[in-house]
Amino acid sequence: MLSRETIRKIGILTVLLFGWFSLSTSFGYAQEEDELLQARKLYQQGYYDDAITMLIECINKLKSIVAQKKKVAEAFYLLAKVYFTVGEDDKVDTNLKKVFETYPTFSKEETDLEFKDRVDQTKVKMGIGQVVQKEPVVEEPVQVEPEPEKTQPVIKTDTEKPVVEKRVIPKVKKKKKKRFPILLVLGGLAVAAVLVYFLVIKKSEDDGYDIRGSWNLNFNWYAKQVETPGNVVLTFSGGSSSGGTFVSSGSATGTWTVNGTQIRWVYSNGTTYTGTIQTEIYMSGTMVDFEGYTGYWSASRAGVRSRSVIPHSGVFEDRAN
């Protein structure tokens, strides 16, 4: 069965993971939309540079996957259209050629007649499409009209020049990139660290008993099938409730540790006491000395009346000297 402390740690970890997942989702770093759809939206909104970047990334990611050839061809097609829109004509033919090299049967209904003409030209150059033959124009007989009276010829000045329609190249918009919320993440990690300290580390310390102070120790050794009872006063000290040093009324010294309700102290000669802290004023357990002899013990906080499982005796033998 899991201990209360383990369950608490699992709960804290679950909360932290859920919080991190929520942050990641709320800032939109999970890609839910198809990349081509995103690139097409960027193109329609005029963010041409961002559309180009996304399409190139999509192509590089999918071009080695056979099952994605049609999608790669569609990405090349849209990339060519973006370049056509911004006036980079040299890259239009290159990407249109890659469309049909990747997926020769690729076709798409195109509403931009000028771009459609470029697509058809590329297909013809690659031997995929056929040149559309124009029907011969049949000239109707022209009726001869009487020659008009001669007039002075109109001399055109240099300022009168033929008007040539040019394709308007739209301005390229720059889309602001989302910045990763580093300060928010660092703040979240700091809060998580504080929560872990107070809810796990500090709480674990608080769950343990603080045994620092003086205790009346009653013990009984089994040595050569003879019981040897005795008592002594132990004084535990240290900077933390989880461990420190002790000294007995017989001047023996050693170290002690507490983990939850479990206590252990070891004399300088190796004699070891282990047991359970049952209340703030009472604990008991067993011990083994440096020669291998064993026994049992109980202790009550000095100055507080408590039960004892070992009768007091005038014999002093704490096996520590």
Side-chain angles (χ1 to χ4, degrees), residues 1 72 75 139 175 178 231 235 244 269 281 283 293 310:
M1 186 176 178
V72 174
E139 296 183 0
K175 187 174 183 181
K178 289 183 179 179
N231 59 70
T235 301
N269 67 353
I281 60 173
M283 55 185 175
Y293 296 115
I310 305 175

Side-chain angles (χ1 to χ4, degrees), residues 38-51:
Q38 292 182 41
R40 189 173 290 108
K41 285 182 179 179
L42 290 171
Y43 166 68
Q44 292 169 349
Q45 294 167 2
Y47 298 111
Y48 303 118
D49 285 345
D50 295 290

Side-chain angles (χ1 to χ4, degrees), residues 221-263:
W221 287 100
Y222 293 106
K224 299 178 182 179
Q225 298 182 347
V226 176
E227 291 190 8
T228 306
N231 59 70
V232 67
V233 176
L234 290 182
T235 301
F236 298 93
S237 60
S240 168
S241 61
S242 61
T245 60
F246 71 88
V247 60
S248 74
S249 54
S251 300
T253 59
T255 58
W256 62 274
T257 56
V258 168
N259 184 9
T261 60
Q262 300 302 305
I263 183 169

